[in-house]
Structures are given as C-alpha cells and as structure tokens.
C-alpha cells in the first residue's frame, strides 16, 4: 500500500522522518562506506519528540541535510516520487550544509560521533603510533589511524581536535 498524504506521518520517540535526496559520494564519485553500498543524504522533514536528546541527535532541526546508513530505519512507499524513510535519530552520523561539496568544512558530526581524517599506518617505517615490535601484534595491525577534525556535541572520553587516534575500521561509516 502506498501513502497518498505523507503530511500526516508523525515520527514517534527518537525517530526522524527524512526525504531521501541521494546516496553520498566522495570527491572521486565513489560511494562512501566500507561495504561500498553507500550512505544516504536526506532532508529532515519531521522530528519525533525525543530525537534531539543528547544520546540521539542533539541540534538536529527540520530542513537539515542528514547523512545516515541506507540500512537504517524503514522506507515508506508513497504515491509520488518522494522517497521517505523513518530512522532513529542516533543513526544520523553527520549533517552536511552542501550535499554537492562534502568535506570537513561542510560536515558536522552529530551526537557522540567523531570526524576523522584517515591516515595510513605505513606513513613512517614503524607506523604512526605503534612500534615495529607492536606491529607484529594482529590486534594492533587491524586498526586504522587518523587525526580528529571534529567531535559531536556530546562526544566524551577526552577526545580533542588534532589528536591522533586508532580505531577499528568496521565502526567507521566512510573513508
């Protein structure tokens, strides 16, 4: 069944109604994301009553362009060409001010998210953080490294812009 009147949709709890605009592509025209399936950009249409709480997506407002996983939430079939989706606020990883020019100046990290500039571990003989001896440890070689460019409004753990960090690439939405 397809909805004719989408104006009556009211997201509940921490949910956000978004109008899908496009998939996110990087500067080379490739889809972002480890699985190459891409992420979506959607315009925030309506917010549930708890969607802007700290643990969800603080500072989010109607009209924002939000970036989220294509696997998040539920699609809503409509009679017209509008592509709507209801997603949890926490699934929004960033907002973007210009969907045609996505970079560190146009992205804003949400909630506890961190925007990182990825660094390769082979930039020096011993890597950026780990020594040659530590590089033999498979638990450390499976990590990626980067410099924090921006933190979301409720990011904790003492993270600071400019700090070098190690992280598991499986938890990153794009490179």
């Amino acid at each position: 069944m397809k909805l004719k009147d989408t104006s009556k949709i009211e997201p509940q709890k921490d949910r956000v109604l978004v109008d899908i605009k496009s998939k996110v592509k990087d500067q080379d025209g490739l889809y972002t994301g480890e699985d190459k399936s891409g992420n979506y950009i959607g315009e925030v249409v309506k917010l549930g009553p708890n969607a802007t709480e700290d643990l969800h997506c603080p500072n989010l407002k109607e009209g924002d362009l939000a970036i989220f996983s294509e696997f998040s939430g539920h699609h809503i079939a409509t009679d017209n060409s509008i592509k709507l989706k209801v997603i949890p606020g926490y699934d929004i990883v960033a907002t973007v001010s210009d969907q045609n020019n996505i970079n560190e100046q146009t992205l804003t990290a949400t909630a506890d998210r961190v925007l990182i500039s990825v660094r390769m571990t082979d930039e020096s003989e011993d890597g950026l953080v780990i020594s040659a001896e530590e590089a033999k440890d498979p638990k450390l070689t499976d990590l990626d490294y980067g410099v924090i460019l921006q933190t979301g409004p409720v990011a904790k753990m003492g993270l600071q812009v400019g700090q070098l960090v190690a992280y598991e690439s499986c938890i990153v939405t794009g490179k």
Side-chain angles (χ1 to χ4, degrees):
M1 181 174 132
K2 293 185 177 184
L3 292 176
K4 292 181 182 182
D5 183 8
T6 59
S7 67
K8 305 245 188 268
I9 298 171
E10 294 294 333
Q12 300 297 304
K13 299 182 181 180
D14 66 334
R15 302 300 195 247
V16 178
L17 178 66
V18 293
D19 178 359
I20 299 170
K21 297 299 183 188
S22 70
K23 285 189 167 189
V24 178
K25 293 184 178 181
D26 66 15
Q27 293 175 346
D28 299 322
L30 302 172
Y31 290 120
T32 60
E34 290 293 316
D35 59 1
K36 304 298 182 230
S37 64
N39 294 310
Y40 284 129
I41 288 182
E43 182 178 345
V44 175
V45 177
K46 289 185 182 176
L47 300 164
N50 306 111
T52 58
E53 291 178 356
D54 282 355
L55 295 178
H56 301 292
C57 203
N59 305 327
L60 188 68
K61 59 191 177 308
E62 290 179 8
D64 282 351
L65 290 174
I67 298 176
F68 52 93
S69 167
E70 70 177 314
F71 303 110
S72 176
H74 305 280
H75 287 277
I76 298 175
T78 63
D79 266 357
N80 51 27
S81 62
I82 296 175
K83 298 174 185 168
L84 296 175
K85 201 166 195 183
V86 177
I87 61 173
Y90 188 76
D91 285 356
I92 296 173
V93 295
T95 57
V96 62
S97 60
D98 181 356
Q99 87 178 63
N100 298 314
N101 185 23
I102 297 174
N103 59 50
E104 66 184 89
Q105 284 78 38
T106 61
L107 284 170
T108 302
T110 59
D112 59 355
R113 302 312 204 293
V114 178
L115 181 62
I116 295 173
S117 174
V118 177
R119 297 274 177 95
M120 297 300 165
T121 56
D122 58 359
E123 288 183 11
S124 68
E125 191 172 289
D126 289 339
L128 287 172
V129 175
I130 58 178
S131 69
E133 185 62 32
E134 291 170 322
K136 296 174 187 172
D137 184 344
K139 292 181 291 195
L140 297 177
T141 57
D142 288 340
L143 296 176
D144 285 330
Y145 299 88
V147 174
I148 296 176
L149 300 176
Q150 186 184 122
T151 62
V154 294
K156 303 210 184 323
M157 301 186 311
L159 299 173
Q160 298 175 2
V161 172
Q163 184 178 24
L164 184 63
V165 292
Y167 58 93
E168 292 183 75
S169 59
C170 64
I171 60 172
V172 175
T173 60
K175 285 187 178 184

